[in-house]
Amino acid sequence: MAKKVIKGEQARRSIVEGVIEASDAIVTTLGPSGRFVAIENSMAGVGPEISRDGATVAKSITYKDGAKNTGAMLVRKAASLTESYVGDGTSTTACLIREFCTKGEKYIQQGRNVFEIKSGMIKAGEWVKDFIKKNSIEVGDDLEKIRKVATISANNDKEVGNLIVEAMSKVGIADGVITAELSSGLDTIVEVTEGMKIERGWASPEYSNIKAEGKCVMEDCYIVVCGTRLSNVNQLIPIIELITKDGGNKPFLLICDGIDDNVNTTILVNTISGAIRCCVVKDIDFGDGRKNQMQDIATKVGATYFCTENGNDINNIRIGDLGYAKKVVVSRDTTIIYEGAGDPDEIAARADILRSALADPNRTPYDKIKFSKRLANLTKGIAVIKAGGATEVEKCNRKATIDDAILASKSAIEEGCLPGGGYIYFKASKAILKDKNWWKSLEGDEKIGAELIVESLPSILRTVSENAGVAGDVILEQASQKRKVEMDNWGFNAKTRKWCNLLEDGVLDSTKVARVALENSISTASMILATDCIILEDEDEKKAINPMGV
């Protein structure tokens, strides 16, 4: 396929145009009064989707025009990266990218040095990130703060905030495993089931059988735990023959120490063709930590742990060596095993060993953290929040909201929380202006890049206010009054449309969400502004080859 090259100002303008149009749709969902977006679905028999989730909206946007679509895809990629990392902040990311690109484009048209602008943007971003960190409020095990963060992330849905706190109280705050599923009924409930979480995902995205979510879900699943590297296809034959014996084709999860590309490819080809149903997870932890976790998994699911230290060989595998779980969900970064078939007495014995290790005063703090996580994995189970609703559309939308709120809550536990509603970005835009020494350290057009960031940060507060039906510029003017600027945590609550102490009113955002959204938006926008050429498929040639557009 021939390519078409667009250079110079036209290339950048086309990308920025796509950025603006895509972001305008995404930021509709921002804030407590954000609106729903109806999304057409071209698949036969599938109706339109209605969502208030910024990530869902971002993933649905494409344009026929290749240059505009490039801009939209860059926004989509940044927003999705924020969502996958912290569970929230997609609309914030899109809003900031739009502001940075719109303002930056004007400066570049004036002939400013784009790379000095980019440098200034990055330096200003680092200053703001430090400001965010200094103003962060520790969450720890404060369930009330977690409830508030989860509620805000769920578009002020108090029920979601309460459900997440309920789930954490049952399985643990820091190390508890919480997931979301669709319910078969109207009510959204919390259920606790036996299970464990592994901080490692599939060995290839091709193992995903739910492509939209990038997950491999298997029910009534065998589990093979192998502590040796699979370097030869012949090592697979005993496993596959055992599982497919008598015409069976039960799904199985293969957890191994490592796997060569040719072996992994062989499994993939057979899985895609339907000859077997398998997912491979490799390289869990490292060193002794890997061996210990593999043994934990084997104990939990009732499998034999094959490794040289145990003196057993995967080639001699028997049906009794296979573990079993009622359900397995494998994503890019994690594997969750539900209701393993391990012997309760063996699990209890292993848990006692870990408790003894935790009580040992000679163990290092690092070791104790590892032991406590392993103990939680073995004993506390998994909390499943089942999203209910009257229709499938409502259930799916609610599940997406709960997924985001879970990740946002976990992020707040990690790095703390902040007054929300765009408050922290607005305060940072005022505080950075007072740091005269920092401004003196900037060279050339770096100052332009820094000013671009400062001018754009209040856009979150303005957009949240506008989505609530209040004039954003008026709110910014009121927020700039000296009396309000000097009052800690005093900001605009878009839900009540009143000025208040945001902490006391429970308007809290995750510190990590604010930081990551800023990082991803600056990274994406600065690259867009420095772009001077687009290479696209030639649409005229595409139509000539395929006039029906099929």
Side-chain angles (χ1 to χ4, degrees):
M1 175 68 71
K3 302 292 183 179
K4 179 172 67 175
V5 177
I6 304 174
K7 292 194 67 178
E9 187 176 324
Q10 182 188 353
R12 189 175 56 254
R13 276 187 176 178
S14 297
I15 293 176
V16 172
E17 187 179 344
V19 166
I20 293 170
E21 287 193 20
S23 299
D24 284 347
I26 297 167
V27 301
T28 303
T29 66
L30 184 61
S33 299
R35 301 298 197 267
F36 285 91
V37 176
I39 304 166
E40 180 189 21
N41 196 323
S42 59
M43 291 178 62
V46 180
E49 180 179 0
I50 298 175
S51 178
R52 199 179 162 193
D53 176 48
T56 302
V57 176
K59 291 171 185 175
S60 68
I61 297 173
T62 55
Y63 296 108
K64 287 183 179 180
D65 182 280
K68 277 177 60 177
N69 194 53
T70 300
M73 290 301 100
L74 288 169
V75 173
R76 172 178 171 174
K77 186 175 181 180
S80 296
L81 184 62
T82 301
E83 193 257 353
S84 66
Y85 191 46
V86 293
D88 200 5
T90 51
S91 300
T92 298
T93 302
C95 185
L96 290 174
I97 292 173
R98 179 185 65 181
E99 294 298 314
F100 296 155
C101 288
T102 303
K103 291 178 170 60
E105 172 70 6
K106 294 176 182 177
Y107 288 122
I108 293 171
Q109 287 178 13
Q110 296 170 8
R112 300 287 189 172
N113 187 317
V114 65
F115 290 103
E116 289 184 359
I117 290 175
K118 179 181 177 181
S119 176
M121 291 173 69
I122 293 170
K123 288 182 178 180
E126 291 298 321
W127 194 101
V128 174
K129 281 181 355 188
D130 287 341
F131 180 84
I132 289 172
K133 185 177 179 181
K134 289 174 185 174
N135 285 272
S136 180
I137 302 162
E138 185 177 351
V139 169
D141 58 359
D142 189 332
L143 287 174
E144 192 54 39
K145 286 178 182 173
I146 295 169
R147 187 195 315 274
K148 291 173 180 177
V149 170
T151 299
I152 294 295
S153 176
N155 299 315
N156 271 284
D157 189 330
K158 289 185 178 180
E159 185 186 6
V160 172
N162 292 335
L163 287 167
I164 287 174
V165 167
E166 180 187 345
M168 286 188 174
S169 65
K170 290 180 176 179
V171 298
I173 296 174
D175 300 321
V177 181
I178 305 172
T179 65
E181 293 182 359
L182 298 181
S183 172
S184 58
L186 292 171
D187 297 329
T188 301
I189 58 173
V190 177
E191 290 184 356
V192 176
T193 183
E194 289 295 318
M196 70 189 310
K197 180 180 180 182
I198 306 166
E199 298 294 339
R200 183 68 70 177
W202 30 246
S204 167
E206 295 302 318
Y207 284 114
S208 303
N209 55 19
I210 302 179
K211 298 297 182 183
E213 298 181 18
K215 294 179 179 179
C216 176
V217 179
M218 300 184 292
E219 297 185 352
D220 292 326
C221 180
Y222 284 132
I223 299 176
V224 180
V225 185
C226 179
T228 56
R229 185 175 185 85
L230 300 177
S231 56
N232 192 312
V233 174
N234 291 330
Q235 292 172 284
L236 300 175
I237 294 174
I239 301 171
I240 295 173
E241 284 182 346
L242 188 64
I243 290 171
T244 58
K245 189 177 180 181
D246 299 326
N249 190 14
K250 231 176 185 179
F252 68 99
L253 175 68
L254 176 57
I255 303 173
C256 59
D257 196 48
I259 188 167
D260 284 4
D261 288 343
N262 66 311
V263 182
N264 193 39
T265 301
T266 300
I267 297 174
L268 264 176
V269 169
N270 282 277
T271 299
I272 293 169
S273 69
I276 59 174
R277 292 189 288 162
C278 177
C279 185
V280 175
V281 175
K282 63 174 184 173
D283 300 333
I284 297 172
D285 211 329
F286 54 89
D288 289 338
R290 176 179 295 174
K291 296 174 185 176
N292 291 330
Q293 277 205 57
M294 297 274 264
Q295 185 61 67
D296 289 347
I297 296 165
T299 303
K300 190 74 172 179
V301 301
T304 298
Y305 175 35
F306 287 94
C307 65
T308 53
E309 289 88 343
N310 290 347
N312 48 25
D313 188 342
I314 194 69
N315 290 308
N316 299 323
I317 190 169
R318 298 289 182 267
I319 192 70
D321 296 321
L322 299 175
Y324 171 84
K326 189 171 183 179
K327 184 178 179 181
V328 171
V329 179
V330 188
S331 62
R332 184 185 66 180
D333 301 313
T334 60
T335 300
I336 300 178
I337 300 171
Y338 295 86
E339 298 185 49
D343 184 296
D345 291 337
E346 291 184 11
I347 294 171
R350 193 156 182 83
D352 286 341
I353 293 171
L354 290 171
R355 290 189 185 99
S356 298
L358 280 169
D360 186 349
N362 297 319
R363 297 286 188 176
T364 66
Y366 174 80
D367 285 340
K368 289 189 175 183
I369 290 172
K370 301 282 279 186
F371 291 145
S372 64
K373 287 183 177 180
R374 287 174 55 202
L375 181 61
N377 235 355
L378 278 171
T379 60
K380 287 191 176 179
I382 297 169
V384 182
I385 302 177
K386 296 196 171 183
T391 65
E392 198 70 15
V393 171
E394 183 183 354
K395 289 178 185 179
C396 290
N397 183 62
R398 193 160 181 76
K399 178 183 178 295
T401 300
I402 293 169
D403 280 330
D404 289 351
I406 291 169
L407 277 173
S409 301
K410 292 287 188 181
S411 297
I413 293 167
E414 288 178 29
E415 295 189 16
C417 63
L418 297 159
Y423 168 90
I424 197 66
Y425 291 135
F426 179 80
K427 290 284 283 190
S429 72
K430 297 298 180 184
I432 193 172
L433 294 174
K434 298 176 182 178
D435 192 343
K436 304 300 182 185
N437 290 331
W438 182 82
W439 285 97
K440 289 178 182 177
S441 70
L442 301 178
E443 299 177 356
D445 284 338
E446 285 184 340
K447 186 176 180 182
I448 297 294
E451 288 174 350
L452 188 160
I453 299 295
V454 173
E455 292 168 3
S456 300
L457 289 175
S459 65
I460 303 300
L461 175 56
R462 182 176 63 243
T463 305
V464 168
S465 304
E466 289 173 349
N467 284 349
V470 182
D473 290 334
V474 172
I475 295 299
L476 290 181
E477 185 178 342
Q478 292 175 353
S480 299
Q481 293 172 4
K482 188 173 185 292
R483 178 176 61 85
K484 288 190 173 71
V485 170
E486 293 177 350
M487 294 176 70
D488 287 338
N489 308 319
W490 194 260
F492 182 71
N493 185 336
K495 183 182 179 183
T496 61
R497 301 186 186 183
K498 294 179 180 179
W499 291 91
C500 64
N501 184 308
L502 296 172
L503 292 185
E504 293 177 359
D505 267 30
V507 183
L508 299 178
D509 284 342
S510 161
T511 301
K512 191 174 182 180
V513 170
R515 174 181 65 79
V516 172
L518 181 69
E519 285 177 348
N520 289 341
S521 56
I522 290 177
S523 173
T524 300
S526 62
M527 294 297 290
I528 290 171
L529 294 174
T531 298
D532 199 54
C533 179
I534 317 174
I535 301 174
L536 304 167
E537 290 186 357
D538 191 324
E539 291 297 321
D540 292 335
E541 182 178 334
K542 188 189 290 186
K543 288 176 183 177
I545 295 173
N546 188 8
M548 299 299 291
V550 178

